[in-house]
């Protein structure tokens, strides 16, 4: 009944809400920070979380704070079990994670094993030579955000950056200092239970030889014209029997140099990558800017998640240098402020407000987010407060009946560069209630299209992710921002959703739409992941939809009537490998858009406590 009443409000409610949002607030000597400018929507919890310690996968349903939250559902096509689950884009990598859980490892052991395996089996985005972000939430918290985004080499100059961008954003000058190994090792050192060699064993075995998957072969074919120009890349990915042809689906992919690089990490941890033979290979790329000093100085960082309240749930997402987490927060908080849940599910009304909120948040992503280490503590706090204030996004108000041109939303519209980014996301939950959301990237597919000689390491082109205008400027030693946005949703202090996606600037759109399908509209996880997606990335000023999974024509026609430029995007949006936690079980689902595998662990080998303190470091 409530949903029907909400839907019946239609434009009248939207117009009333918008009028309230535009109206100046009366003077208030002391404003309650837990309430929006409308005075009705909770934005930040005014009360601490309940003191009760939740159990594994317990959504805290007995607490007063969560007693009225709706039942969540994993869906009939999700795998589920009480011993944990893993989902990723590549089956062998998922199996590596499940093997860790079933050997008594925790979610971090599994996530690290999956990430290293993806560097072997999904080389277009999985990597040792790139970077990423990870959220780790132990069974009773708090959540830790691990930033292992790449940094610009000390030798980088603005002239070199501009020339690299003019040349297409690839090649030696595009390579940033890799962060993946430092980040994965930081996570494992701090939270892992199994020894390092056990965690890396699946990746090492796969590097000695595995069959190339169909989706991975397709990605290789798309990038091979550029890859074949590099001798080391051609030796790995080229078909030895057919000149100028890449390996095909089902071909054996043997990466002996990569196996040796992984062995050095297994033996020595991060120093096995940032020092010694692997490091010499990384700095030996002809024309590259990386130095031994760059590698020696790199550090993964622990940061505080960006946290806010949405419809009674706590959402935790990656903070800067993730600009994607900022977009997730701003879209959700704007939609909550304007009560977009009142509109019929995936109607033109609802999608119009989502697209308009996205357009404004994406402008913030491009121009208002920078490496937090470049700012003072006071400025970082000021910006975090702005990211969590929906009124800051509505400086150009949303017109319920008409699309706002992107050039009106931000004056630097014409200076924006289109973002190219290829990422991969994995989600893990273990039997004790620990969860991990992790996204890694080489920026473009196969990054710089270079392999460091003698290492098997595909190198990133993350330096091309800096901007020519706005805050994210290319300065030596600086981390570039990213759209990656691993995200957790909590109820009563316990995780209920583990979210993330690849897809460049479409990442926040994917995460927000799935979250709202589940939270606002009560859809099961599998249905929410499969649902049609739309996207507005600010640049270009158009609405993109999926060619084989489009909204109804009547909805697209109405969006067009309101002034949106609506286009068939020619490809899928995102690849959401997600987990929902409820009633003592983890429900994992893999997005059919790119294939992959979700598995639930069938057992857990409980290890003696001494095993957790006798790991190889």
């Amino acid at each position: 009944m409530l949903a029907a009443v909400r839907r019946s409000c239609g434009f009248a409610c939207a117009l009333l809400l918008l009028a309230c949002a535009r109206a100046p607030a009366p003077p208030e000597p002391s404003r309650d920070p837990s309430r929006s400018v409308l005075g009705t929507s909770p934005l930040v919890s005014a009360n601490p979380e309940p003191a009760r310690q939740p159990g594994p996968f317990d959504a805290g349903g007995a607490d007063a704070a969560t007693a009225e939250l709706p039942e969540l559902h994993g869906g009939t096509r999700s795998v589920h079990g009480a011993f944990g689950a893993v989902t990723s884009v590549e089956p062998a990598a998922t199996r590596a994670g499940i093997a860790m859980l079933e050997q008594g490892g925790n979610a971090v052991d599994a996530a690290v094993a999956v990430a290293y395996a993806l560097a072997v089996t999904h080389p277009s985005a999985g990597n040792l030579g790139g970077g990423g972000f990870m959220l780790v939430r132990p069974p009773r918290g708090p959540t830790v955000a691990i930033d292992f985004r790449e940094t610009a080499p000390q030798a980088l100059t603005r002239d070199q950056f501009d020339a690299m961008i003019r040349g297409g954003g690839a090649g030696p000058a595009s390579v940033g200092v890799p962060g993946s190994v430092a980040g994965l090792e930081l996570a494992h050192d701090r939270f892992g239970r199994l020894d390092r060699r056990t965690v890396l064993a699946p990746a090492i075995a796969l590097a000695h030889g595995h069959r190339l998957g169909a989706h991975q072969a397709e990605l290789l074919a798309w990038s091979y014209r550029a890859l074949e120009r590099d001798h080391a890349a051609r030796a790995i990915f080229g078909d030895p029997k057919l000149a100028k042809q890449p390996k095909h689906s089902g071909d054996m992919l043997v990466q002996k140099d990569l196996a040796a690089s992984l062995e050095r990490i297994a033996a020595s941890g991060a120093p096995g990558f940032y020092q010694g033979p692997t490091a010499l290979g990384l700095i030996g790329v002809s024309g590259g800017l990386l130095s031994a000093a760059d590698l020696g100085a790199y550090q993964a960082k622990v940061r505080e998640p960006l946290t806010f309240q949405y419809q009674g749930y706590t959402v935790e997402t990656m903070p800067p240098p993730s600009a994607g987490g900022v977009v997730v927060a701003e879209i959700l908080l704007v939609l909550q402020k304007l009560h977009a849940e009142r509109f019929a599910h995936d109607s033109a009304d609802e999608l119009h407000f989502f697209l308009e909120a996205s357009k404004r948040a994406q402008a913030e992503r491009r121009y208002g987010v920078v490496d937090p280490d470049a700012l003072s503590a006071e400025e970082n706090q000021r910006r975090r407060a702005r990211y969590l204030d929906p009124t800051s996004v509505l400086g150009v108000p949303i017109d319920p009946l008409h699309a706002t041109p992107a050039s009106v939303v931000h004056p630097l519209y014409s200076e924006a560069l289109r973002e190219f980014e290829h990422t991969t996301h994995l989600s893990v939950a273990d039997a004790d209630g620990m969860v991990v959301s992790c996204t890694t990237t080489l920026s473009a597919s196969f990054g710089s299209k270079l392999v460091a000689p003698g290492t098997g390491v595909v190198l990133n082109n993350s330096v091309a992710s800096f901007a020519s205008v706005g805050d994210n400027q290319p300065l030596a030693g600086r981390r570039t921002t990213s759209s990656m946005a691993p995200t957790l949703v909590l109820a009563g202090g316990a995780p209920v959703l583990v979210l993330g996606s690849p897809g460049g600037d479409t990442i926040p759109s994917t995460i927000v739409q799935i979250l709202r399908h589940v939270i606002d509209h009560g859809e099961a996880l599998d249905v929410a992941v499969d649902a049609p997606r739309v996207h507005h990335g600010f640049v270009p000023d158009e609405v993109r939809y999926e060619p084989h999974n489009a909204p109804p024509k009547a909805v697209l026609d109405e969006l067009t009537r309101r002034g949106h430029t609506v286009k068939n995007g020619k490809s899928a949006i995102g690849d959401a490998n997600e987990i929902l936690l409820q009633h003592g079980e983890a429900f994992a689902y893999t997005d059919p858009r790119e294939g992959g595998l979700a598995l639930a662990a069938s057992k857990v080998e409980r290890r003696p406590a001494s095993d957790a303190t006798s790991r190889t470091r």
Side-chain angles (χ1 to χ4, degrees):
M1 174 65 74
L2 179 59
V5 171
R6 285 176 170 174
R7 286 194 295 269
S8 69
C9 289
F11 287 138
C13 288
L15 290 167
L16 176 60
L17 288 165
L18 196 63
C20 292
R22 290 176 173 174
E28 291 180 297
S30 60
R31 191 176 186 84
D32 181 356
S34 73
R35 306 186 73 81
S36 77
V37 294
L38 296 179
T40 55
S41 298
L43 298 178
V44 181
S45 176
N47 300 310
E49 291 185 347
R52 186 184 70 85
Q53 296 296 327
F57 311 149
D58 179 6
D63 292 340
T66 60
E68 296 182 2
L69 294 179
E71 179 82 2
L72 303 183
H73 303 279
T76 59
R77 288 171 291 125
S78 297
V79 301
H80 59 96
F83 299 113
V86 177
T87 179
S88 83
V89 71
E90 203 283 318
T94 293
R95 294 188 185 101
I98 288 295
M100 298 304 107
L101 294 181
E102 293 184 345
Q103 291 177 55
N106 62 22
V108 167
D109 293 314
V112 172
V114 174
Y116 278 127
L118 287 170
V120 180
T121 63
H122 190 62
S124 63
N127 68 81
L128 301 186
F133 299 134
M134 179 186 291
L135 293 184
V136 178
R137 184 171 182 86
R140 289 172 176 81
T143 300
V144 172
I146 300 177
D147 162 19
F148 50 101
R149 185 63 163 149
E150 305 94 317
T151 58
Q154 289 295 326
L156 178 69
T157 67
R158 184 57 187 250
D159 287 344
Q160 289 168 324
F161 171 79
D162 290 340
M164 178 267 296
I165 292 295
R166 289 195 300 270
S174 71
V175 179
V177 183
S180 288
V181 174
L184 296 176
E185 290 304 302
L186 173 60
H188 185 244
D189 285 347
R190 181 161 178 173
F191 295 105
R193 182 182 295 161
L194 302 177
D195 65 86
R196 185 186 302 114
R197 186 164 291 281
T198 297
V199 171
L200 274 108
I204 293 170
L206 290 164
H208 282 294
H210 74 281
R211 298 288 177 184
L212 188 64
H215 178 58
Q216 287 69 35
E218 182 180 41
L219 294 170
L220 174 59
W222 290 345
S223 296
Y224 192 67
R225 285 189 64 183
L227 283 166
E228 70 170 341
R229 300 186 191 117
D230 180 69
H231 174 76
R234 185 171 65 251
I236 296 169
F237 300 114
D239 189 325
K241 299 177 183 178
L242 298 172
K244 297 187 178 298
Q245 292 292 316
K247 291 183 181 294
H248 297 84
S249 176
D251 287 350
M252 185 63 71
L253 182 58
V254 178
Q255 302 173 81
K256 291 184 178 179
D257 287 344
L258 183 58
S261 295
L262 289 164
E263 284 278 8
R264 288 190 279 271
I265 297 169
S268 305
F273 180 83
Y274 293 95
Q275 302 170 20
T278 303
L280 289 175
L282 297 175
I283 64 179
V285 175
S286 177
L289 303 177
L290 291 182
S291 68
D294 288 322
L295 295 172
Y298 184 85
Q299 291 184 331
K301 300 291 184 75
V302 173
R303 305 204 186 269
E304 180 185 353
L306 204 58
T307 304
F308 57 96
Q309 300 298 305
Y310 181 77
Q311 307 293 14
Y313 294 85
T314 300
V315 180
E316 298 180 320
T317 192
M318 195 71 198
S322 165
V326 171
V327 177
V328 167
E330 290 189 342
I331 294 175
L332 286 172
L333 289 172
V334 165
L335 294 179
Q336 178 173 252
K337 175 182 175 64
L338 299 179
H339 296 285
E341 75 280 359
R342 295 171 181 264
F343 300 124
H345 183 25
D346 280 352
S347 63
D349 291 340
E350 183 181 61
L351 292 182
H352 172 75
F353 272 81
F354 164 72
L355 294 164
E356 289 296 296
S358 180
K359 188 185 304 181
R360 288 155 174 78
Q362 290 279 358
E364 178 88 78
R365 175 185 70 82
R366 288 180 175 275
Y367 304 118
V369 183
V370 69
D371 180 355
D373 295 338
L375 304 173
S376 67
E378 293 77 12
E379 177 61 15
N380 271 315
Q381 287 303 314
R382 187 188 71 79
R383 291 196 182 205
R384 286 176 71 101
R386 187 182 81 212
Y387 301 148
L388 299 179
D389 178 7
T391 61
S392 70
V393 188
L394 294 171
V396 178
I398 293 174
D399 184 331
L401 299 176
H402 301 94
T404 305
S407 58
V408 173
V409 169
H410 200 287
L412 291 177
Y413 169 77
S414 62
E415 303 295 325
L417 297 174
R418 187 174 178 182
E419 178 178 3
F420 296 93
E421 188 167 326
H422 192 79
T423 54
T424 188
H425 179 80
L426 62 99
S427 298
V428 181
D430 68 23
D432 295 322
M434 175 184 277
V435 295
V436 175
S437 177
C438 179
T439 313
T440 67
T441 189
L442 285 167
S443 284
S445 185
F446 288 94
S448 62
K449 312 300 191 289
L450 299 173
V451 172
T455 69
V457 175
V458 180
L459 293 169
N460 68 80
N461 70 325
S462 68
V463 174
S465 298
F466 285 105
S468 297
V469 294
D471 288 350
N472 184 36
Q473 293 292 300
L475 296 178
R478 177 175 285 184
R479 280 164 156 78
T480 181
T481 62
S482 171
S483 292
M484 295 181 291
T487 299
L488 303 177
V489 179
L490 314 177
V496 293
L497 286 171
V498 184
L499 303 174
S501 176
D505 65 357
T506 72
I507 290 172
S509 295
T510 297
I511 293 169
V512 168
Q513 287 172 95
I514 291 172
L515 185 154
R516 295 191 68 241
H517 280 299
V518 174
I519 299 300
D520 290 350
H521 301 299
E523 288 187 350
L525 179 65
D526 53 358
V527 176
V529 169
D530 288 355
R533 295 176 193 152
V534 297
H535 170 66
H536 198 301
F538 179 70
V539 173
D541 190 1
E542 63 186 35
V543 176
R544 170 183 160 192
Y545 64 88
E546 299 178 297
H548 304 297
N549 200 21
K553 183 178 182 300
V555 171
L556 297 177
D557 288 345
E558 174 58 22
L559 291 174
T560 300
R561 193 190 68 78
R562 296 189 191 190
H564 294 280
T565 299
V566 179
K567 289 192 175 181
N568 183 325
K570 307 301 182 185
S571 63
I573 296 174
D575 179 49
N577 297 298
E578 321 288 51
I579 291 177
L580 183 148
L581 307 166
Q582 193 79 349
H583 298 312
E585 289 194 304
F587 293 79
Y589 188 66
T590 191
D591 197 326
R593 288 166 175 81
E594 290 192 19
L597 183 65
L599 289 175
S602 60
K603 63 177 182 178
V604 172
E605 175 186 322
R606 293 295 181 183
R607 290 176 166 250
S610 59
D611 284 5
T613 58
S614 61
R615 298 173 293 162
T616 301
R617 287 300 186 209

